C-alpha cells in the first residue's frame, strides 16, 4: 500500500532529447507527488511537485503528468542537457500539518550525452 | 545550500559500535525527518519529529533511536552496528503547515567495517 514503483532504473538520452521517467503508486490516500533530483555526494533536492487535483504541471523544462485513475505520474525533461545528468526520485506522501513523510521510488539514473 | 546541516560528513566505525548523527534544521522549521539511503534499499523514511515530539516511524530498526531537542536540532543514534547499516543518512526539515516542502541536508556517510 505504501510502495511507489519507478522506471526505468537507468536512462541515457542525447542532448536536446526528452527524458521520461515513470512512477506508479498504490495508496490512494497519497495527495502530494514530488520529484527530487540528486547529484553524487549531495542530498535530494525538490525539482517539481504536483497534487492529484491537477493533471499536469510545468516548470521550465520540467513537466509532471499525473493520471489519477491509473495511479501513475511521470516526469518529462524537455531539451535535456548534460547538466541534468543525475539520479531522479519520484515520491509520494500524505500531507499533514506536521509535514509530509515521503515514500520514494527506486530512483532513475539519467545520463545526458553531449 | 538547503540550510539543513548535518554532522559529521563521514563516519567510519566498527561492527558493534554506537554512533550519533546530528542534524540542524533550517531556521523556523519544526519538523525533522531522517532517511536512510542504501544501494539495495533506496531512500527509506526512518522517523519524523515535530517540535520535539515523535510524529511517525517508518522502517527504523530497534537498534536505532532518535530525538529532537528543545532547540529543534535532532540526533539519530545507531547502536550495535552491523555491516548492513553502512549507508547515507539524510536529515530533512520542513516548516509547519500543510504543503510545506522538505529540504534535505547533505547527508552523513556511515561506513561500518
Amino acid at each position: 500500500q505504501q510502495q511507489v514503483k519507478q522506471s526505468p532504473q537507468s536512462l541515457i538520452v542525447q542532448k536536446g532529447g526528452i527524458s521520461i521517467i515513470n512512477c506508479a503508486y498504490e495508496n490512494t490516500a497519497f495527495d502530494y507527488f514530488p520529484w527530487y533530483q540528486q547529484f553524487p555526494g549531495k542530498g535530494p533536492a525538490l525539482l517539481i511537485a504536483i497534487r492529484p487535483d491537477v493533471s499536469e504541471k510545468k516548470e521550465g523544462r520540467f513537466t509532471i503528468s499525473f493520471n489519477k485513475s491509473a495511479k501513475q505520474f511521470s516526469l518529462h525533461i524537455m531539451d535535456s542537457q548534460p547538466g541534468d545528468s543525475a539520479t531522479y526520485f519520484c515520491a509520494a506522501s500524505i500531507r499533514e500539518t506536521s509535514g509530509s513523510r515521503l515514500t520514494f521510488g527506486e530512483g532513475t539514473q539519467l545520463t545526458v550525452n553531449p | 545550500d538547503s540550510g539543513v546541516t548535518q554532522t559529521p560528513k563521514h563516519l567510519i566505525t566498527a561492527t558493534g559500535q554506537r554512533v550519533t548523527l546530528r542534524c540542524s534544521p533550517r531556521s523556523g522549521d519544526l519538523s525533522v525527518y531522517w532517511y536512510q539511503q542504501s544501494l539495495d534499499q533506496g531512500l527509506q523514511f526512518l522517523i519524523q519529529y515535530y517540535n520535539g515530539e515523535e510524529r511517525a516511524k517508518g522502517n527504523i530498526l530497534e537498534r536505532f533511536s532518535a530525538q529532537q531537542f528543545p532547540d529543534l536540532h535532532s540526533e539519530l543514534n545507531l547502536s550495535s552496528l552491523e555491516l548492513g547499516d553502512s549507508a547515507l543518512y539524510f536529515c530533512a526539515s520542513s516548516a509547519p503547515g500543510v504543503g510545506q516542502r522538505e529540504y534535505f541536508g547533505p547527508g552523513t556517510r556511515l561506513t561500518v567495517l
Side-chain angles (χ1 to χ4, degrees), chain A residues 32 36 38 41-46 89 95-102 104-106, chain B residues 31 33 35 37 43 45 48 50 55-56 90 94 96-99 101-102 104-106:
Chain A
Y32 176 64
Y36 281 80
Q38 185 179 27
K42 305 289 186 182
L46 180 66
F89 293 93
R95 293 175 302 154
E96 300 172 352
T97 303
S98 63
S100 306
R101 302 174 292 281
L102 297 165
F104 283 94
E106 298 89 342
Chain B
S31 274
Y33 314 78
Y35 292 87
Q37 185 174 34
L43 266 164
F45 167 71
Q48 177 200 1
Y50 179 77
R55 190 55 67 103
F90 289 104
S94 67
V98 176
R101 60 178 284 183
E102 289 186 32
F104 280 76

Side-chain angles (χ1 to χ4, degrees), chain A residues 6-38:
Chain A
Q6 183 173 346
S7 63
Q9 189 173 5
S10 62
L11 182 61
I12 300 175
V13 174
Q14 290 300 118
K15 179 182 175 181
I18 302 173
S19 304
I20 301 174
I21 305 171
N22 301 298
C23 283
Y25 64 97
E26 298 172 356
N27 188 351
T28 55
F30 286 142
D31 62 357
Y32 176 64
F33 300 90
W35 283 89
Y36 281 80
Q37 180 188 56
Q38 185 179 27

Side-chain angles (χ1 to χ4, degrees), chain B residues 36-55:
Chain B
Q36 179 192 56
Q37 185 174 34
S38 60
L39 283 175
D40 57 343
Q41 294 290 323
L43 266 164
Q44 301 248 332
F45 167 71
L46 295 179
I47 196 165
Q48 177 200 1
Y49 278 81
Y50 179 77
N51 202 20
E53 294 186 0
E54 182 184 304
R55 190 55 67 103

Side-chain angles (χ1 to χ4, degrees), chain B:
Chain B
D1 185 3
S2 67
V4 178
T5 61
Q6 290 187 247
T7 57
K9 194 173 178 66
H10 301 279
L11 198 49
I12 301 174
T13 188
T15 54
Q17 294 299 304
R18 173 189 169 94
V19 297
T20 298
L21 314 184
R22 182 187 170 100
C23 168
S24 292
R26 293 187 325 144
S27 177
D29 286 0
L30 299 183
S31 274
V32 169
Y33 314 78
W34 286 97
Y35 292 87
Q36 179 192 56
Q37 185 174 34
S38 60
L39 283 175
D40 57 343
Q41 294 290 323
L43 266 164
Q44 301 248 332
F45 167 71
L46 295 179
I47 196 165
Q48 177 200 1
Y49 278 81
Y50 179 77
N51 202 20
E53 294 186 0
E54 182 184 304
R55 190 55 67 103
K57 265 187 174 180
N59 299 320
I60 188 166
L61 300 171
E62 286 192 10
R63 300 183 285 107
F64 296 0
S65 65
Q67 54 184 328
Q68 186 179 27
F69 294 87
D71 66 352
L72 300 177
H73 91 272
S74 178
E75 293 180 357
L76 179 67
N77 300 296
L78 316 176
S79 62
S80 303
L81 285 168
E82 302 175 359
L83 296 177
D85 298 327
S86 295
L88 270 167
Y89 291 84
F90 289 104
C91 168
S93 73
S94 67
V98 176
Q100 300 298 326
R101 60 178 284 183
E102 289 186 32
Y103 291 85
F104 280 76
T108 293
R109 180 174 293 279
L110 173 66
T111 302
V112 182
L113 300 176

